[in-house]
Amino acid sequence: MLKNRTTLLLLLALLFAGFVFGTAKLFRLRFDRGDIYPPSSSLRSDPLGAKIIYESLREMDSFEVGRLYEPLDKVDSGCGKTLFVLGTGVWSLNWVAKQEVKDIEKFILDGGRFVVSFAPVNSKNWRLRSEEHAQREEAEKKAKEKKGGKIKKEKKDRKKLPLDDEEIELVSLLEKWNLKLDFVDLEAENGVAIPVNVSRSTDSQSLPEILPWHSALCFAVRSNAWQKIYSRDTNAVVIERAFGKGSVVLCSDSYLFSNEAMRKERHPELLAWLVGQNGTVLFDETHLGVNSDPGIAALACRSLRLAKFQ
């Protein structure tokens, strides 16, 4: 009886050891591949990641390349630096903590180049359609009130996020920078979106004339301060603006930074333009949730942004 019990315990111990070993090996394989990280992460080596562009820049003697795992206020100055924020959510610039906005603009004004690419979308999403419907209903309601001699003025409150008895004020960078998002649906074949070609809108001959584009997102530019770099017909998809000593570049598609694009459709002249004249290149990982100490504000804003897609 005792011998049988000892044998059973040994078998259980062996099974447990095998399970731990297998799990550890699986996690190691995933970490090596990088697919444990979100799409567009410079730590990810599969087609959805951006590790190739990170490693390619690192191999060049003219650049100092690193990853940002801490909030932007930990960066001493934007002077001589280019910051890539790749694969961010479509509405991420519409819900930004006020302090984070100050940090971003300080980085740019000091001479930094702030490059943002958005995760691709195939069509206008449900949230925008819902907002447009609500706006139409509100306009009809106000028209009826005005017709009846009653004009109701509503005070627009700034959006705030409550957290542990604190309120974090949220700012729309899109409104602050005189931009609006628009969508031109992509055609699909067998449920798969078909990329479209976008054309260069600037006279710079060093940039590719045509690029494949994998997103329906476009920018409605409201200010002459923005320059269209690439457009889909009349709709801007890559834009640039000077701010103080620095500049901002917005790309409505993050595919061109992906490992897949680096292998199949690499455009080094475009990537060189995106980096600009700066010698230090940083890849932000914090907006993807990969950070050392996200802080209360970053966690709160990230939670809010994620909630809006659920």
Side-chain angles (χ1 to χ4, degrees), residues 22-213:
T23 303
K25 189 172 182 179
L26 177 62
F27 272 100
R28 183 177 178 181
L29 288 172
R30 290 202 64 191
F31 270 107
D32 290 341
R33 180 177 170 83
D35 61 356
I36 196 169
Y37 299 104
S40 295
S41 171
S42 64
L43 294 160
R44 187 165 176 158
S45 58
D46 71 339
L48 297 179
K51 193 171 185 178
I52 290 180
I53 182 175
Y54 174 85
E55 295 294 345
S56 298
L57 290 171
R58 277 191 66 190
E59 291 176 1
M60 299 181 184
D61 296 333
S62 54
F63 294 113
E64 182 180 342
V65 184
R67 295 183 175 99
L68 188 62
Y69 296 111
E70 297 181 323
L72 192 55
D73 61 359
K74 301 297 183 182
V75 178
D76 53 357
S77 171
C79 183
K81 297 181 178 70
T82 295
L83 178 64
F84 282 107
V85 182
L86 305 180
T88 190
V90 171
W91 302 104
S92 60
L93 295 188
N94 216 28
W95 309 98
V96 187
K98 189 174 183 179
Q99 183 57 51
E100 190 177 350
V101 171
K102 291 180 179 179
D103 295 336
I104 291 171
E105 294 192 334
K106 180 181 182 301
F107 176 88
I108 299 166
L109 292 170
D110 286 346
R113 188 164 172 82
F114 189 66
V115 181
V116 180
S117 73
F118 293 86
V121 291
N122 295 335
S123 63
K124 186 184 296 185
N125 68 7
W126 65 268
R127 181 177 178 272
L128 187 62
R129 297 181 195 275
S130 177
E131 283 187 352
E132 289 177 348
H133 179 69
Q135 288 172 0
R136 285 195 297 270
E137 286 189 339
E138 184 66 22
E140 291 174 0
K141 180 181 177 182
K142 287 183 178 180
K144 289 179 181 179
E145 289 176 348
K146 187 175 182 179
K147 188 176 180 180
K150 297 178 181 180
I151 302 176
K152 186 178 179 182
K153 294 184 178 180
E154 296 181 359
K155 184 178 178 181
K156 188 176 180 181
D157 295 329
R158 293 184 178 181
K159 291 181 172 57
K160 294 185 177 181
L161 179 65
L163 185 68
D164 295 336
D165 299 326
E166 295 182 17
E167 285 189 335
I168 299 171
E169 189 173 331
L170 302 178
V171 177
S172 171
L173 265 180
L174 292 175
E175 291 182 7
K176 202 171 192 297
W177 290 351
N178 290 316
L179 286 172
K180 186 178 179 181
L181 301 184
D182 199 1
F183 298 83
V184 181
D185 292 359
L186 297 179
E187 293 184 7
E189 185 176 332
N190 298 324
V192 179
I194 303 173
V196 296
N197 287 332
V198 299
S199 304
R200 189 181 65 215
S201 304
T202 177
D203 295 331
S204 177
Q205 298 298 318
S206 62
L207 294 178
E209 188 174 347
I210 301 293
L211 290 175
W213 217 248

Side-chain angles (χ1 to χ4, degrees), residues 279-294:
T280 300
V281 182
L282 299 174
F283 287 79
D284 181 60
E285 295 289 335
T286 62
H287 73 288
L288 298 172
V290 184
N291 44 30
S292 57
D293 182 15

